[in-house]
Amino acid sequence: MDWSRAKSVLILAFLMLNVVLGYQLWQNVSERLNQNQNFGDLGADTLRIMKERGIGLATTASIPSDTPDLRDLTYRFKDASASMKRVALDKPVDSRIVFDQKELLAQLGNVIPELSLYQYDQLASPEGEFVLYRMTGGKPMYDVKLELFYSNQNQKITAYRQTRVELVETDDTEARTVLPASKAVTPLVDKYLEDGSVIKEIALGYHGQLFNSETQYAAPSWRVLLENGKTYYVHAISGEIVQDKADEAEKPTKP
C-alpha cells in the first residue's frame, strides 16, 4: 500500500470535511443574524409567544428600527363627494406604468389631479386595483388614497377614484418621538393576532378616525398588514390599537 498517497487522501478528505462543516456553521450563524435583524428588539416573551402560536414574519418583512419625531396632522377634504365617484378614463393606459413614477406622471399627470403627491403601495393593493396613498413628509396618509382600477384581460388602467385633501398648518400639537415598532407589535401578538398569523409589513404613516366634519385629524401610526388581508393600526404615541373598518369586527383573542 502507498502510505504516502493514502495519507494525502486522508488529509484532503479532512480538509473538505472542515470546509463543509465551516460552511454549515456560517450558514446557521447567518440565518440567526438575519432572524434577529428581522425581529428587531422584540422581547423574549413576545418571541416565545410567537413561536408557540405559529405567528411569524413574511420573509420580506422586518421590524423597523426608526423612531422619528412626528406631529399629528390636520387636514380638510377638498371635495368629499368626488372621493366616492369612480371616474372612467377617456383613454385607458397600460397598467405597467404604475411601477414607474415618471411614466405614471407622464401618462396620467394631466388627467388625475395632484397625482405627484401619491405613491403606489403594492402590498396594500387588492386584485383589480392599484392603491396609492397621499404622501406628506415622506410618510403615507392611510385615510387618503387614490385607486387605479385595471382590467386583467387587457392589462389597462380604465378608471380611478381619488380622495383629495389640503393640509392645515397648526401649532396645536408638537412633534413627539414615536413608539418603536417592536412595542407596537407586542400587544398585537398578545391579544389580537390569530394563531398562525403572518405579518406581511409594518410601516409608519398617518391614520385617524374620520368624522362628519370639514376638518379631519390623523396621528402617527404603525400600520401592520397581515397575509390574510387584515390590517391593524397602532397609534405611534399612545399605543392604542385599531383594526381597519373594512375588516370584519373582531374581539381580542385573549382577555
Side-chain angles (χ1 to χ4, degrees):
M1 177 182 291
D2 189 344
W3 289 107
S4 177
R5 183 177 180 181
K7 182 179 179 181
S8 298
V9 171
L10 288 173
I11 292 174
L12 180 60
F14 278 118
L15 286 174
M16 292 181 65
L17 178 61
N18 286 334
V19 170
V20 172
L21 292 175
Y23 173 76
Q24 290 179 339
L25 177 62
W26 172 83
Q27 193 173 39
N28 290 336
V29 172
S30 178
E31 288 177 354
R32 287 197 296 270
L33 287 174
N34 288 334
Q35 186 181 51
N36 289 337
Q37 183 178 13
N38 288 344
F39 284 105
D41 296 327
L42 286 179
D45 288 342
T46 301
L47 291 173
R48 176 183 54 79
I49 294 173
M50 292 177 69
K51 184 177 181 180
E52 291 175 352
R53 297 177 52 206
I55 298 172
L57 294 177
T59 55
T60 57
S62 62
I63 307 292
S65 59
D66 56 320
T67 55
D69 291 344
L70 298 177
R71 67 175 66 228
D72 292 350
L73 293 181
T74 302
Y75 64 93
R76 299 189 185 97
F77 290 115
K78 287 190 174 181
D79 188 348
S81 60
S83 65
M84 303 297 293
K85 297 178 181 178
R86 178 166 169 159
V87 182
L89 296 178
D90 293 333
K91 183 179 179 181
V93 297
D94 289 337
S95 59
R96 60 179 174 80
I97 67 173
V98 76
F99 302 104
D100 187 320
Q101 182 73 359
K102 290 184 179 179
E103 192 170 2
L104 179 65
L105 291 174
Q107 293 284 337
L108 293 176
N110 293 328
V111 178
I112 300 177
E114 302 177 349
L115 179 57
S116 62
L117 299 179
Y118 296 77
Q119 184 171 304
Y120 175 49
D121 189 331
Q122 183 175 2
L123 294 181
S125 299
E127 183 71 21
E129 67 180 84
F130 300 117
V131 174
L132 297 84
Y133 288 109
R134 169 69 152 80
M135 305 295 291
T136 181
K139 299 289 187 294
M141 299 173 65
Y142 293 122
D143 306 306
V144 184
K145 64 182 178 179
L146 165 65
E147 299 162 280
L148 302 178
F149 301 97
Y150 66 91
S151 169
N152 282 320
Q153 294 181 345
N154 57 15
Q155 295 299 308
K156 296 284 188 179
I157 296 173
T158 59
Y160 73 91
R161 182 165 55 216
Q162 182 184 28
T163 303
R164 295 173 60 204
V165 301
E166 59 178 345
L167 297 176
V168 178
E169 294 293 334
T170 176
D171 296 327
D172 291 345
T173 61
E174 60 182 30
R176 291 174 290 178
T177 303
V178 303
L179 292 172
S182 57
K183 290 188 176 181
V185 171
T186 296
L188 279 176
V189 171
D190 290 344
K191 297 183 178 180
Y192 287 82
L193 300 189
E194 299 174 348
D195 292 356
S197 294
V198 177
I199 297 173
K200 186 165 60 172
E201 185 192 49
I202 303 170
L204 185 61
Y206 295 93
H207 174 68
Q209 182 179 353
L210 296 179
F211 297 97
N212 186 22
S213 67
E214 181 181 356
T215 303
Q216 303 292 328
Y217 304 93
S221 300
W222 289 104
R223 185 189 68 175
V224 181
L225 290 179
L226 304 185
E227 283 195 344
N228 64 10
K230 292 183 179 180
T231 304
Y232 291 91
Y233 296 96
V234 183
H235 194 294
I237 304 299
S238 69
E240 179 184 2
I241 297 172
V242 177
Q243 187 173 357
D244 195 308
K245 290 183 179 179
D247 295 337
E248 187 175 86
E250 176 182 295
K251 293 182 179 180
T253 57
K254 290 187 177 182

